[in-house]
Amino acid sequence: MTDLIPALPQPRIPVAGGGTFPVHRIYCVGRNFADHAREMGAAAPASASERGQPMFFMKPADAIVVGDAAIPYPTATSDLHHEVELVVALGKDAPAGVLAVDQAMELVLAYGVGLDLTRRDLQTAAKAKGGPWDIAKGFDHSAPVSNLVLASEVGDLAPLELSLEINGELRQKSTLDQMIWNVADILHELSKLYALRAGDLVFMGTPAGVAALQAGDRFSARLGKIAQRDGVIV
């Protein structure tokens, strides 16, 4: 059957050492660091037994921005915020049914670092009305991401430091052992809701320190010495 319109190219992320990663979906985790949950006015669990269920939302696959491409300041907002995050790239489809926690890491192909850009004013307005806040998260160019690094080259995630500098000033910093739900936990929980596929990305949540970005701001997001994404807001 002939397409009636030209097909758009599939978004792809370069992988260190060669090749690209074609993106299927982008899943995002909300409130996965206790300090960020508290700075947003939400309760943070005191122990693992009090975690409850993680919060999920999504971005379109073509929200990614790779390389050193500039990020246009989005429309319909005057309060764009940065949220630096670990990015997990899946290289295998999950088996049918709920994915066991002890099998979850077998799906992971690579890691990177990215920004979950947020139109905070739109999110705040939606929250006040008790409505969904998709438009605050899933907009064009809202997911700048580094090149990916194969998981086999990364090793233990827990001690790695996630950080973000804006114009040379440190804004966000945390080690990954501070996540409320780790990667295996999140993949297990996502599998209850979606059929996880090779090509999926998971943005794993942000630590405290989120704040506004202005046109002209330069950012440097880092995952230890593993991955880095530098860029500018224009």
Side-chain angles (χ1 to χ4, degrees), residues 6 62 69 82 85 92 104 124 127 144 164 189 202 205 208 215 223 226:
D62 63 0
H82 57 73
E85 311 207 358
K92 295 180 181 179
T124 300
K127 286 180 177 179
L164 177 69
E189 295 294 336
V202 184
L223 176 62
I226 301 298

Side-chain angles (χ1 to χ4, degrees), residues 157-178:
L157 289 175
L160 291 181
E161 187 174 271
L162 186 65
S163 66
L164 177 69
E165 292 183 359
I166 304 297
N167 300 323
E169 174 191 355
L170 183 64
R171 290 272 187 93
Q172 294 184 264
K173 180 180 177 181
S174 179
T175 49
L176 294 179
D177 59 1
Q178 295 303 301

